Amino acid sequence: MARTKHSDRAASRRPVKTDEPSLGGFREALRVGADFALSDVDTHGTPNYDGGKQDGKRDLGTAEAEQSDLLERLYAESTAGAKRAVLLVVQGMDTSGKGGVMRHVVAVNPEGIKATAFKAPTEEELAHDFLWRIRKALPMAGQLGVFDRSHYEDVLVVRVHDLVPEEEWSTRYETINAFEREVVDSGTTIVKVMLHVSSAEQKERLMERLDRPDKYYKYNPGDVDERKRWHGYMEAYQAALTKCSTDAAPWYVVPADRKWYARLAVQQLLLETLRDMDLTWPAADFDVAAEKARLAAT
Amino acid sequence: MARTKHSDRAASRRPVKTDEPSLGGFREALRVGADFALSDVDTHGTPNYDGGKQDGKRDLGTAEAEQSDLLERLYAESTAGAKRAVLLVVQGMDTSGKGGVMRHVVAVNPEGIKATAFKAPTEEELAHDFLWRIRKALPMAGQLGVFDRSHYEDVLVVRVHDLVPEEEWSTRYETINAFEREVVDSGTTIVKVMLHVSSAEQKERLMERLDRPDKYYKYNPGDVDERKRWHGYMEAYQAALTKCSTDAAPWYVVPADRKWYARLAVQQLLLETLRDMDLTWPAADFDVAAEKARLAAT
């Protein structure tokens, strides 16, 4: 709310490219490549960014106008028939900050956003292929879709807990790559982000939830049991990240022990993607002068 | 995005009632009562508010933390089994500022919001009762639902254009009242807001859309034709507002020629409603000390 404090007019007239020094290069810095190793990532690091916490918060705020402008252009072109959309997939261990990304980075015009939090599947969802519920949640043309967890849970928690036999989950990486290729070919740009916290940082964040009555509702005794499988989860993430970081839909790993950095990095990954789309305002599909005359006569 | 710039911790610890002088009384000032006449409303007015534009923008920003806190409590109690939700219905003529309310007032955690923009009904929707698509869009427990247009279109545009016979639309006021009563009884608090612009102000806003290429996409030649039915729309609004402003689900009319006031007023109407719900953090459904010990051992 009150996301853009400047007037609507100022927001719309603001050029997308400004002379202000702007950030860039987060995609190159965070992308999962062929020889990626999750265990090499410093979860406390701030890759591609020299500033501190206060700088990061300021830069997050500064970029809001551009983000808002680009998302409005994405919506606007869809009203003229364009079929493009963007899908942001956010994965990460419990407490990694997925909710904070939703609140601080994603919250814009709620009508332009299709946000879905994937929980444990329902009976109906389990009675379908694992991608059934995912397809239903894809963004429409002009929208920014956001997944809080995703189809990757079907090769993460499912693999760690043996919820289906290995013969089944082991084929899913290929299935996911083919699915994402199809989604991209249909006009939706996919940005996949893993928020990577350390086990020690997770422990602190869980302890905080137990220290504060206003955080109890976020705590589940199962969270402690899951910590015992940390190594298994990291193995499963390593496999998902490397097998499914494709040219069509690359993975980015964002160090997330510092929340301010994770939020800034996700915002910049999204912004860099939007900038590359060359989003322009659609031309009028009516005679502007004639409409002005008709309106003036009312 | 970056809606709450203070830390999560500060937001959660902030008491809902503070010593700062806070606004209040918007519901009483704006509610549609028995002898309400839409034509008496000054669309340029700022009822219940003495400040100017800069004050209004500041107060809108100041109240964000409380709004965020209350909505988190609403969600939190649902995780403990509470069934309450809130539904904000926003109606208004074209250009009245519905989109601005969405961007500046409503945008919070997108996962806590279920926003629906009701357009002209699809064939499938027309093959059902007019409330079918409305029921599907109701918020779940813990959510804030937001309707941009609503079932009231079925007694507004439908009435003005005779899309169904009078025998049919004339029964819908009762049907709507019964439906809203049912929704309220199920635990969802309804806040219905009409953003009220003058015909002259609408003309200016439409002309601006024709003056600016980045606004063309918002313009439709049909908008001018609709202006010719202004009086019919005001009659239809007058009927809907008075027939359907019930104790269970009252209507509020917000003067909307000044966008900053309309946004502030809708925010305050929502806030006053949330404050009345006595939202508290749910108690832990686990043994806090035991969990701390288990976590510490990991």
Side-chain angles (χ1 to χ4, degrees):
Chain A
M1 56 203 173
R3 186 181 40 80
T4 49
K5 282 298 177 47
H6 48 275
S7 75
D8 285 349
R9 177 174 305 202
S12 301
R13 287 190 176 161
R14 185 184 299 262
V16 173
K17 312 284 188 191
T18 72
D19 292 335
E20 295 166 27
S22 69
L23 301 171
F26 280 86
R27 286 183 298 180
E28 289 78 357
L30 300 174
R31 181 170 173 163
V32 172
D35 54 356
F36 173 84
L38 187 58
S39 53
D40 289 346
V41 175
D42 173 10
T43 59
H44 208 61
T46 63
N48 195 48
Y49 193 71
D50 290 332
K53 185 172 182 173
Q54 294 314 314
D55 305 306
K57 289 187 165 195
R58 184 202 60 221
D59 286 342
L60 185 74
T62 302
E64 288 176 5
E66 183 185 358
Q67 181 180 340
S68 174
D69 178 88
L70 289 168
L71 288 173
E72 187 181 355
R73 288 169 190 241
L74 178 65
Y75 174 75
E77 71 163 25
S78 79
T79 67
K83 296 297 181 197
R84 296 194 292 180
V86 174
L87 174 62
L88 175 68
V89 174
V90 183
Q91 283 284 158
M93 297 294 286
D94 203 23
T95 76
S96 62
K98 299 182 293 296
V101 164
M102 300 297 152
R103 286 193 303 278
H104 294 262
V105 180
V106 168
V108 286
N109 184 344
E111 297 181 315
I113 303 275
K114 183 170 173 64
T116 309
F118 291 98
K119 314 281 187 186
T122 64
E123 267 190 57
E124 187 185 19
E125 289 167 349
L126 284 172
H128 289 274
D129 174 79
F130 76 102
L131 292 174
W132 179 73
R133 64 176 184 164
I134 306 295
R135 285 183 189 274
K136 290 203 302 176
L138 290 171
M140 288 195 299
Q143 282 186 324
L144 170 66
V146 187
F147 288 177
D148 179 348
R149 304 187 187 273
S150 66
H151 43 301
Y152 283 95
E153 292 298 324
D154 293 286
V155 290
L156 292 169
V157 63
V158 165
R159 171 174 163 156
V160 171
H161 284 271
D162 295 314
L163 299 182
V164 303
E166 178 167 355
E167 307 87 80
E168 193 170 336
W169 60 251
S170 64
T171 67
R172 287 182 175 172
Y173 302 101
E174 284 290 328
T175 306
I176 287 173
N177 286 344
F179 164 68
E180 291 182 353
R181 171 93 246 170
E182 175 201 333
V183 171
V184 168
D185 287 345
S186 78
T188 296
T189 303
I190 300 179
V191 182
K192 299 184 296 195
V193 174
M194 181 210 179
L195 302 176
H196 187 31
V197 285
S198 64
S199 173
E201 177 70 20
Q202 188 197 53
K203 188 172 178 175
E204 265 189 46
R205 293 182 185 180
L206 286 174
M207 199 59 89
E208 192 190 3
R209 292 181 180 179
L210 288 168
D211 276 334
R212 293 174 47 187
D214 62 331
K215 295 281 186 189
Y216 287 166
Y217 82 91
K218 292 185 172 183
Y219 183 85
N220 186 312
D223 297 343
V224 171
D225 304 314
E226 289 297 274
R227 278 181 61 73
K228 296 175 184 159
R229 297 174 187 264
W230 189 271
H231 182 67
Y233 273 104
M234 291 306 108
E235 273 186 348
Y237 265 107
Q238 170 73 27
L241 292 168
T242 50
K243 289 177 193 287
C244 299
S245 189
T246 61
D247 287 340
W251 265 110
Y252 303 98
V253 172
V254 174
D257 281 2
R258 301 180 201 247
K259 287 180 181 174
W260 66 264
Y261 173 77
R263 291 166 188 170
L264 179 69
V266 174
Q267 179 196 50
Q268 292 296 320
L269 290 169
L270 182 61
L271 264 180
E272 291 178 12
T273 301
L274 288 166
R275 283 184 197 134
D276 272 5
M277 292 175 73
D278 289 321
L279 293 159
T280 54
W281 299 109
D285 57 358
F286 47 82
D287 179 333
V288 175
E291 290 300 318
K292 283 186 180 177
R294 286 180 68 225
L295 176 60
T298 64
Chain B
M1 56 202 173
R3 188 181 40 78
T4 49
K5 283 296 177 49
H6 48 274
S7 75
D8 285 351
R9 177 176 304 201
S12 300
R13 285 190 176 160
R14 185 185 298 263
V16 173
K17 312 284 187 191
T18 70
D19 292 336
E20 295 166 26
S22 68
L23 301 170
F26 280 86
R27 285 183 297 180
E28 291 77 358
L30 299 174
R31 180 171 173 163
V32 172
D35 55 356
F36 173 83
L38 187 58
S39 53
D40 290 346
V41 175
D42 173 10
T43 59
H44 208 62
T46 62
N48 194 49
Y49 193 70
D50 290 334
K53 184 172 181 173
Q54 294 315 315
D55 305 306
K57 289 187 167 197
R58 184 202 59 223
D59 285 343
L60 185 74
T62 302
E64 288 176 8
E66 183 185 358
Q67 181 180 339
S68 174
D69 178 88
L70 288 168
L71 288 173
E72 188 181 354
R73 288 169 191 241
L74 179 64
Y75 174 74
E77 71 164 23
S78 79
T79 67
K83 296 296 182 197
R84 295 195 294 179
V86 173
L87 174 62
L88 175 67
V89 174
V90 182
Q91 283 284 158
M93 297 294 287
D94 202 22
T95 78
S96 62
K98 300 184 291 298
V101 164
M102 299 298 152
R103 287 192 302 279
H104 294 262
V105 180
V106 168
V108 286
N109 185 344
E111 296 181 314
I113 303 277
K114 183 171 173 64
T116 308
F118 290 99
K119 313 282 187 186
T122 64
E123 268 189 57
E124 186 185 21
E125 287 167 351
L126 284 172
H128 289 275
D129 175 78
F130 76 102
L131 292 174
W132 180 73
R133 64 175 183 166
I134 306 296
R135 286 183 188 274
K136 289 203 302 177
L138 289 171
M140 288 194 299
Q143 282 186 323
L144 170 65
V146 186
F147 287 178
D148 179 347
R149 304 188 187 273
S150 66
H151 44 299
Y152 283 96
E153 292 297 324
D154 294 288
V155 290
L156 293 168
V157 63
V158 165
R159 170 174 165 156
V160 171
H161 285 270
D162 295 316
L163 299 182
V164 304
E166 177 167 356
E167 307 88 79
E168 194 170 336
W169 61 250
S170 64
T171 65
R172 287 183 175 171
Y173 303 101
E174 284 290 328
T175 307
I176 287 172
N177 286 345
F179 163 67
E180 292 182 351
R181 171 93 247 166
E182 176 199 332
V183 171
V184 169
D185 286 346
S186 77
T188 296
T189 302
I190 300 179
V191 182
K192 298 183 298 196
V193 174
M194 181 210 178
L195 301 176
H196 188 29
V197 286
S198 65
S199 173
E201 176 71 20
Q202 187 197 52
K203 188 174 178 174
E204 266 189 45
R205 293 182 184 180
L206 286 174
M207 198 60 88
E208 192 191 4
R209 292 181 179 179
L210 288 168
D211 277 333
R212 293 174 47 188
D214 62 330
K215 294 281 186 189
Y216 287 167
Y217 82 91
K218 291 185 172 183
Y219 183 84
N220 187 311
D223 297 343
V224 172
D225 304 315
E226 288 298 272
R227 277 182 62 73
K228 296 175 183 159
R229 299 174 186 265
W230 188 272
H231 182 68
Y233 274 104
M234 290 306 108
E235 273 186 348
Y237 264 107
Q238 171 72 28
L241 291 168
T242 51
K243 289 178 192 288
C244 299
S245 188
T246 61
D247 287 340
W251 266 109
Y252 303 98
V253 172
V254 174
D257 282 0
R258 301 180 200 248
K259 287 180 181 175
W260 66 264
Y261 173 76
R263 291 166 188 170
L264 179 69
V266 175
Q267 179 197 49
Q268 293 296 319
L269 290 169
L270 182 60
L271 264 180
E272 290 177 12
T273 302
L274 288 166
R275 283 183 196 134
D276 272 5
M277 292 175 73
D278 290 321
L279 294 158
T280 53
W281 300 108
D285 56 358
F286 46 82
D287 180 333
V288 174
E291 290 300 319
K292 283 186 181 179
R294 285 182 67 226
L295 177 59
T298 64

